Coordinates of all heavy atoms in Angstrom, one line a residue:
S302 N 6.9 -7.7 18.3 CA 7.1 -6.5 17.4 C 7.8 -6.9 16.1 O 8.7 -7.8 16.1 CB 7.9 -5.4 18.1 OG 7.2 -4.9 19.2
M303 N 7.5 -6.2 15.0 CA 8.1 -6.4 13.8 C 8.3 -5.1 13.0 O 7.3 -4.3 13.0 CB 7.4 -7.4 12.9 CG 7.4 -8.8 13.2 SD 6.5 -9.9 12.0 CE 6.7 -11.5 12.8
L304 N 9.4 -4.9 12.5 CA 9.7 -3.7 11.6 C 9.8 -4.3 10.2 O 10.6 -5.2 10.0 CB 10.9 -2.9 12.0 CG 10.8 -2.3 13.4 CD1 12.2 -1.8 13.8 CD2 9.7 -1.3 13.5
K305 N 9.1 -3.7 9.2 CA 9.1 -4.3 7.8 C 9.4 -3.1 6.8 O 9.0 -2.0 7.0 CB 7.8 -4.9 7.5 CG 7.3 -6.0 8.4 CD 6.0 -6.6 8.0 CE 5.4 -7.6 8.9 NZ 4.1 -8.1 8.5
I306 N 10.0 -3.5 5.7 CA 10.1 -2.6 4.6 C 9.7 -3.4 3.3 O 10.5 -4.3 2.9 CB 11.5 -2.0 4.4 CG1 11.9 -1.2 5.6 CG2 11.6 -1.2 3.1 CD1 13.3 -0.6 5.5
H307 N 8.5 -3.2 2.8 CA 8.0 -3.9 1.7 C 8.3 -3.1 0.4 O 8.1 -1.9 0.4 CB 6.5 -4.1 1.8 CG 6.1 -5.4 2.4 ND1 5.9 -6.6 1.7 CD2 5.9 -5.8 3.7 CE1 5.6 -7.6 2.5 NE2 5.6 -7.1 3.7
V308 N 8.6 -3.8 -0.7 CA 8.8 -3.2 -2.0 C 8.1 -4.0 -3.0 O 8.2 -5.2 -3.0 CB 10.3 -3.1 -2.4 CG1 10.5 -2.5 -3.8 CG2 11.1 -2.4 -1.3
G309 N 7.3 -3.4 -3.8 CA 6.5 -4.1 -4.8 C 5.7 -3.3 -5.8 O 6.0 -2.1 -6.0
R310 N 4.7 -3.9 -6.4 CA 3.8 -3.3 -7.4 C 2.4 -3.1 -6.7 O 1.9 -4.0 -6.0 CB 3.8 -4.1 -8.6 CG 5.1 -4.2 -9.4 CD 5.3 -2.9 -10.2 NE 4.3 -2.7 -11.2 CZ 4.4 -3.1 -12.5 NH1 5.5 -3.8 -12.8 NH2 3.5 -2.9 -13.3
H311 N 1.8 -1.9 -7.1 CA 0.5 -1.6 -6.5 C -0.3 -1.0 -7.6 O 0.2 -0.5 -8.6 CB 0.7 -0.6 -5.4 CG -0.6 -0.1 -4.7 ND1 -1.4 -1.0 -4.1 CD2 -1.2 1.1 -4.7 CE1 -2.5 -0.3 -3.6 NE2 -2.3 0.9 -4.0
Q312 N -1.7 -1.2 -7.4 CA -2.6 -0.7 -8.4 C -3.8 -0.2 -7.8 O -4.3 -0.7 -6.8 CB -2.9 -1.7 -9.5 CG -3.7 -1.2 -10.7 CD -4.1 -2.3 -11.6 OE1 -5.0 -3.1 -11.4 NE2 -3.3 -2.4 -12.8
N313 N -4.4 1.0 -8.3 CA -5.7 1.4 -8.0 C -6.3 2.0 -9.3 O -5.7 1.8 -10.3 CB -5.8 2.4 -6.8 CG -4.9 3.6 -7.0 OD1 -4.7 4.1 -8.1 ND2 -4.3 4.1 -5.9
G314 N -7.4 2.7 -9.2 CA -8.0 3.2 -10.4 C -9.4 3.6 -10.3 O -10.0 3.6 -9.2
R315 N -10.0 4.0 -11.5 CA -11.4 4.3 -11.5 C -12.1 3.6 -12.8 O -11.4 3.3 -13.7 CB -11.7 5.8 -11.7 CG -11.1 6.7 -10.6 CD -11.4 6.3 -9.2 NE -12.8 6.4 -8.9 CZ -13.4 5.5 -8.1 NH1 -12.8 4.4 -7.7 NH2 -14.7 5.7 -7.8
I316 N -13.4 3.4 -12.7 CA -14.2 3.0 -13.8 C -15.2 4.2 -14.0 O -16.0 4.4 -13.1 CB -14.9 1.7 -13.6 CG1 -13.8 0.6 -13.5 CG2 -15.8 1.4 -14.8 CD1 -14.4 -0.8 -13.1
I317 N -15.2 4.8 -15.2 CA -16.0 6.0 -15.3 C -16.9 5.9 -16.6 O -16.5 5.3 -17.6 CB -15.2 7.3 -15.4 CG1 -14.2 7.2 -16.6 CG2 -14.4 7.5 -14.1 CD1 -13.4 8.6 -16.8
D318 N -18.0 6.6 -16.5 CA -18.8 7.0 -17.7 C -18.5 8.5 -17.9 O -18.5 9.3 -17.0 CB -20.3 6.8 -17.4 CG -20.7 5.3 -17.3 OD1 -19.8 4.5 -17.4 OD2 -21.9 5.1 -16.9
L319 N -18.3 8.8 -19.2 CA -18.0 10.2 -19.5 C -18.5 10.6 -20.9 O -18.8 9.8 -21.7 CB -16.5 10.4 -19.4 CG -15.6 9.9 -20.6 CD1 -14.3 10.7 -20.7 CD2 -15.3 8.4 -20.4
T320 N -18.5 12.0 -21.0 CA -18.8 12.6 -22.3 C -17.6 13.4 -22.7 O -17.2 14.3 -22.0 CB -20.1 13.4 -22.3 OG1 -21.2 12.6 -22.0 CG2 -20.3 14.1 -23.7
E321 N -17.0 13.1 -23.9 CA -15.8 13.8 -24.4 C -16.3 14.8 -25.4 O -17.1 14.5 -26.3 CB -14.8 12.9 -24.9 CG -13.5 13.5 -25.4 CD -12.5 12.5 -26.0 OE1 -13.0 11.4 -26.4 OE2 -11.3 12.8 -26.0
Y322 N -15.7 16.0 -25.4 CA -16.0 17.0 -26.4 C -14.7 17.6 -27.0 O -13.6 17.6 -26.3 CB -16.9 18.1 -25.9 CG -16.3 18.8 -24.6 CD1 -15.5 19.9 -24.7 CD2 -16.6 18.3 -23.3 CE1 -15.0 20.5 -23.6 CE2 -16.1 18.9 -22.2 CZ -15.3 20.0 -22.3 OH -14.8 20.6 -21.2
D323 N -14.8 18.2 -28.2 CA -13.6 18.8 -28.8 C -13.9 20.2 -29.3 O -15.0 20.7 -29.1 CB -13.0 18.0 -29.9 CG -14.0 17.7 -31.0 OD1 -14.9 18.5 -31.2 OD2 -13.9 16.6 -31.6
D324 N -12.9 20.9 -30.0 CA -13.1 22.3 -30.4 C -14.0 22.4 -31.6 O -14.3 23.6 -32.0 CB -11.7 22.9 -30.7 CG -11.0 22.1 -31.8 OD1 -11.4 20.9 -32.0 OD2 -10.0 22.6 -32.3
T325 N -14.5 21.3 -32.2 CA -15.5 21.4 -33.3 C -16.9 21.3 -32.8 O -17.8 21.1 -33.6 CB -15.2 20.3 -34.3 OG1 -15.4 19.0 -33.7 CG2 -13.7 20.4 -34.8
F326 N -17.1 21.3 -31.5 CA -18.4 21.1 -30.8 C -19.0 19.7 -31.0 O -20.2 19.5 -30.8 CB -19.4 22.1 -31.3 CG -18.9 23.6 -31.1 CD1 -18.4 24.3 -32.2 CD2 -19.0 24.2 -29.9 CE1 -18.0 25.6 -32.0 CE2 -18.5 25.5 -29.7 CZ -18.0 26.2 -30.8
S327 N -18.1 18.8 -31.3 CA -18.5 17.4 -31.4 C -18.4 16.7 -30.0 O -17.5 17.1 -29.2 CB -17.7 16.6 -32.4 OG -17.8 17.1 -33.7
S328 N -19.2 15.8 -29.7 CA -19.2 15.1 -28.4 C -19.4 13.6 -28.6 O -20.0 13.1 -29.5 CB -20.2 15.6 -27.4 OG -21.5 15.4 -27.9
Y329 N -18.7 12.8 -27.7 CA -18.8 11.4 -27.7 C -19.0 10.8 -26.3 O -18.3 11.3 -25.4 CB -17.5 10.8 -28.3 CG -17.0 11.5 -29.6 CD1 -16.2 12.6 -29.5 CD2 -17.5 11.0 -30.8 CE1 -15.8 13.3 -30.7 CE2 -17.0 11.7 -32.0 CZ -16.2 12.8 -31.9 OH -15.8 13.4 -33.1
S330 N -19.8 9.9 -26.2 CA -20.1 9.3 -24.9 C -19.5 7.9 -24.7 O -19.6 7.1 -25.7 CB -21.6 9.2 -24.6 OG -22.2 10.5 -24.6
Y331 N -18.9 7.6 -23.6 CA -18.3 6.3 -23.3 C -18.8 5.8 -21.9 O -19.0 6.6 -21.0 CB -16.8 6.5 -23.3 CG -16.2 7.0 -24.5 CD1 -15.9 8.4 -24.6 CD2 -15.9 6.2 -25.6 CE1 -15.4 9.0 -25.7 CE2 -15.3 6.8 -26.8 CZ -15.1 8.1 -26.8 OH -14.5 8.7 -27.9
A332 N -19.0 4.5 -21.9 CA -19.4 3.9 -20.6 C -18.4 2.8 -20.1 O -17.8 2.2 -20.9 CB -20.8 3.2 -20.8
N333 N -18.2 2.7 -18.8 CA -17.4 1.8 -18.2 C -15.9 1.8 -18.7 O -15.3 0.8 -19.1 CB -17.9 0.3 -18.4 CG -19.3 0.2 -17.7 OD1 -19.5 0.6 -16.6 ND2 -20.2 -0.5 -18.4
V334 N -15.4 3.0 -18.8 CA -14.0 3.2 -19.2 C -13.1 2.8 -18.0 O -13.2 3.5 -16.9 CB -13.7 4.6 -19.6 CG1 -12.2 4.8 -20.0 CG2 -14.6 5.0 -20.8
D335 N -12.3 1.8 -18.2 CA -11.4 1.3 -17.1 C -10.1 2.1 -17.1 O -9.4 2.0 -18.1 CB -11.2 -0.2 -17.3 CG -10.6 -0.8 -16.0 OD1 -10.3 -0.1 -15.1 OD2 -10.4 -2.1 -16.0
L336 N -9.8 2.7 -16.0 CA -8.6 3.5 -15.8 C -7.7 3.0 -14.7 O -7.8 3.4 -13.6 CB -8.9 5.0 -15.6 CG -9.9 5.7 -16.5 CD1 -10.2 7.1 -16.0 CD2 -9.2 5.8 -17.9
P337 N -6.8 2.0 -15.0 CA -6.0 1.5 -14.0 C -4.7 2.4 -13.8 O -4.2 2.9 -14.8 CB -5.6 0.1 -14.5 CG -5.6 0.3 -16.0 CD -6.7 1.3 -16.3
Y338 N -4.3 2.6 -12.5 CA -3.1 3.3 -12.3 C -2.1 2.4 -11.6 O -2.4 1.7 -10.6 CB -3.4 4.5 -11.3 CG -4.3 5.5 -11.9 CD1 -5.5 5.8 -11.3 CD2 -4.0 6.2 -13.1 CE1 -6.4 6.8 -11.8 CE2 -4.9 7.1 -13.7 CZ -6.1 7.4 -13.0 OH -6.9 8.3 -13.6
N339 N -0.9 2.3 -12.1 CA 0.1 1.4 -11.6 C 1.3 2.1 -10.9 O 1.7 3.2 -11.4 CB 0.7 0.5 -12.8 CG -0.4 -0.4 -13.4 OD1 -0.8 -1.4 -12.8 ND2 -0.9 0.0 -14.5
Y340 N 1.8 1.5 -9.9 CA 2.9 2.2 -9.1 C 4.0 1.2 -8.7 O 3.7 0.0 -8.5 CB 2.3 2.8 -7.8 CG 1.0 3.6 -7.9 CD1 -0.2 3.0 -7.9 CD2 1.1 5.0 -8.1 CE1 -1.4 3.7 -8.1 CE2 -0.1 5.7 -8.2 CZ -1.3 5.1 -8.2 OH -2.5 5.8 -8.4
L341 N 5.1 1.7 -8.5 CA 6.1 1.1 -7.6 C 5.8 1.5 -6.2 O 5.6 2.7 -6.0 CB 7.6 1.4 -8.0 CG 8.0 0.9 -9.4 CD1 9.4 1.4 -9.7 CD2 8.1 -0.6 -9.4
Q342 N 5.8 0.6 -5.3 CA 5.4 1.0 -3.9 C 6.4 0.6 -2.9 O 6.9 -0.6 -2.9 CB 4.0 0.3 -3.6 CG 3.4 0.8 -2.3 CD 2.1 0.2 -2.0 OE1 2.0 -1.0 -1.8 NE2 1.0 1.0 -2.1
L343 N 6.7 1.5 -2.0 CA 7.6 1.2 -0.8 C 6.8 1.4 0.4 O 6.1 2.5 0.6 CB 8.8 2.2 -0.8 CG 9.7 2.1 0.4 CD1 10.5 0.8 0.4 CD2 10.7 3.3 0.3
I344 N 6.8 0.4 1.4 CA 6.0 0.5 2.6 C 6.8 0.2 3.8 O 7.0 -1.0 4.1 CB 4.8 -0.4 2.6 CG1 4.0 -0.3 1.3 CG2 3.9 -0.2 3.8 CD1 2.9 -1.3 1.2
P345 N 7.3 1.2 4.5 CA 7.9 0.9 5.8 C 6.7 0.8 6.8 O 5.8 1.6 6.8 CB 8.7 2.2 6.1 CG 8.2 3.2 5.3 CD 7.5 2.6 4.1
S346 N 6.8 -0.2 7.7 CA 5.7 -0.4 8.6 C 6.1 -1.0 10.0 O 7.2 -1.5 10.1 CB 4.6 -1.3 8.0 OG 5.1 -2.6 7.8
Y347 N 5.2 -0.9 10.9 CA 5.4 -1.5 12.3 C 4.3 -2.4 12.5 O 3.1 -2.0 12.3 CB 5.6 -0.5 13.4 CG 5.5 -1.1 14.7 CD1 6.6 -1.7 15.3 CD2 4.4 -1.0 15.5 CE1 6.6 -2.3 16.6 CE2 4.3 -1.6 16.8 CZ 5.4 -2.2 17.3 OH 5.3 -2.8 18.5
A348 N 4.5 -3.6 13.0 CA 3.5 -4.6 13.3 C 3.6 -5.0 14.8 O 4.7 -5.4 15.2 CB 3.5 -5.8 12.4
Y349 N 2.5 -5.0 15.5 CA 2.5 -5.6 16.9 C 1.7 -6.9 16.8 O 0.6 -6.9 16.3 CB 1.9 -4.6 17.8 CG 1.8 -5.1 19.2 CD1 2.9 -5.2 20.1 CD2 0.6 -5.6 19.7 CE1 2.8 -5.7 21.3 CE2 0.5 -6.2 21.0 CZ 1.6 -6.2 21.8 OH 1.6 -6.7 23.1
N350 N 2.3 -8.0 17.4 CA 1.7 -9.3 17.4 C 1.2 -9.7 18.7 O 2.0 -9.7 19.7 CB 2.7 -10.3 16.8 CG 3.1 -10.0 15.4 OD1 2.3 -10.2 14.5 ND2 4.3 -9.6 15.2
I351 N 0.0 -10.2 18.8 CA -0.5 -10.9 20.0 C -0.3 -12.3 19.7 O -0.9 -12.9 18.8 CB -2.0 -10.6 20.3 CG1 -2.2 -9.1 20.5 CG2 -2.5 -11.4 21.4 CD1 -3.6 -8.7 20.7
V352 N 0.6 -13.0 20.5 CA 1.0 -14.3 20.2 C 0.3 -15.3 21.2 O 0.3 -15.1 22.4 CB 2.6 -14.5 20.4 CG1 3.0 -15.9 20.1 CG2 3.3 -13.5 19.5
K353 N -0.3 -16.3 20.6 CA -0.9 -17.4 21.4 C -0.5 -18.7 20.8 O -1.0 -19.2 19.8 CB -2.4 -17.2 21.3 CG -3.2 -18.2 22.2 CD -3.0 -17.9 23.7 CE -3.9 -18.8 24.5 NZ -3.7 -18.6 26.0
G354 N 0.6 -19.3 21.3 CA 1.2 -20.5 20.8 C 1.7 -20.3 19.4 O 2.5 -19.4 19.1
K355 N 1.2 -21.1 18.4 CA 1.6 -21.0 17.0 C 0.8 -19.9 16.2 O 1.0 -19.7 15.1 CB 1.5 -22.3 16.3 CG 2.5 -23.3 16.8 CD 2.5 -24.6 16.0 CE 3.6 -25.5 16.5 NZ 3.7 -26.8 15.7
F356 N -0.2 -19.3 16.9 CA -1.1 -18.3 16.2 C -0.7 -16.9 16.6 O -0.3 -16.6 17.8 CB -2.5 -18.6 16.6 CG -3.1 -19.8 16.0 CD1 -3.1 -21.0 16.7 CD2 -3.6 -19.8 14.7 CE1 -3.6 -22.2 16.2 CE2 -4.2 -21.0 14.2 CZ -4.2 -22.2 15.0
N357 N -0.7 -16.0 15.6 CA -0.4 -14.6 15.8 C -1.6 -13.8 15.4 O -2.2 -14.1 14.3 CB 0.8 -14.1 15.0 CG 2.1 -14.7 15.6 OD1 2.1 -15.3 16.7 ND2 3.2 -14.4 15.0
L358 N -1.9 -12.7 16.1 CA -2.9 -11.8 15.7 C -2.1 -10.4 15.5 O -1.9 -9.7 16.5 CB -4.0 -11.6 16.7 CG -5.1 -10.6 16.5 CD1 -5.8 -10.9 15.2 CD2 -6.0 -10.4 17.6
P359 N -1.7 -10.1 14.3 CA -0.9 -8.9 14.0 C -1.8 -7.7 13.8 O -2.9 -7.7 13.2 CB -0.1 -9.2 12.8 CG -1.0 -10.2 12.0 CD -1.9 -10.9 13.0
F360 N -1.3 -6.5 14.3 CA -1.9 -5.2 13.9 C -0.8 -4.4 13.3 O 0.2 -4.1 14.0 CB -2.4 -4.5 15.2 CG -3.6 -5.2 15.8 CD1 -3.4 -6.2 16.8 CD2 -4.9 -4.9 15.5 CE1 -4.4 -6.9 17.4 CE2 -6.0 -5.6 16.0 CZ -5.7 -6.6 17.0
E361 N -0.9 -4.0 12.1 CA 0.2 -3.4 11.3 C -0.2 -2.0 10.8 O -1.3 -1.8 10.3 CB 0.6 -4.2 10.2 CG 1.8 -3.7 9.4 CD 2.3 -4.7 8.3 OE1 2.1 -5.9 8.5 OE2 2.9 -4.2 7.4
L362 N 0.7 -1.0 11.0 CA 0.5 0.3 10.5 C 1.7 0.7 9.7 O 2.8 0.6 10.1 CB 0.4 1.3 11.7 CG 0.3 2.8 11.4 CD1 -1.0 3.1 10.6 CD2 0.4 3.6 12.7
G363 N 1.4 1.2 8.5 CA 2.5 1.6 7.5 C 2.2 2.8 6.7 O 1.0 3.3 6.6
L364 N 3.2 3.4 6.1 CA 3.1 4.5 5.2 C 3.5 4.0 3.8 O 4.6 3.5 3.6 CB 4.0 5.6 5.6 CG 4.1 6.8 4.6 CD1 2.8 7.5 4.5 CD2 5.2 7.7 5.0

Side-chain angles (χ1 to χ4, degrees):
S302 299
M303 287 185 182
L304 300 172
K305 305 179 183 181
I306 300 182
H307 267 269
V308 179
R310 293 284 295 271
H311 178 66
Q312 189 181 75
N313 56 34
R315 305 307 294 138
I316 297 175
I317 61 173
D318 294 354
L319 75 154
T320 299
E321 184 181 19
Y322 55 89
D323 58 29
D324 57 344
T325 65
F326 302 102
S327 298
S328 63
Y329 312 89
S330 294
Y331 304 94
N333 297 320
V334 179
D335 194 356
L336 304 175
Y338 299 120
N339 296 284
Y340 312 87
L341 291 176
Q342 187 177 69
L343 174 69
I344 310 175
S346 64
Y347 169 77
Y349 178 77
N350 297 289
I351 298 175
V352 181
K353 186 69 174 179
K355 293 187 176 182
F356 290 93
N357 287 357
L358 177 62
F360 295 90
E361 184 172 333
L362 174 64
L364 173 66

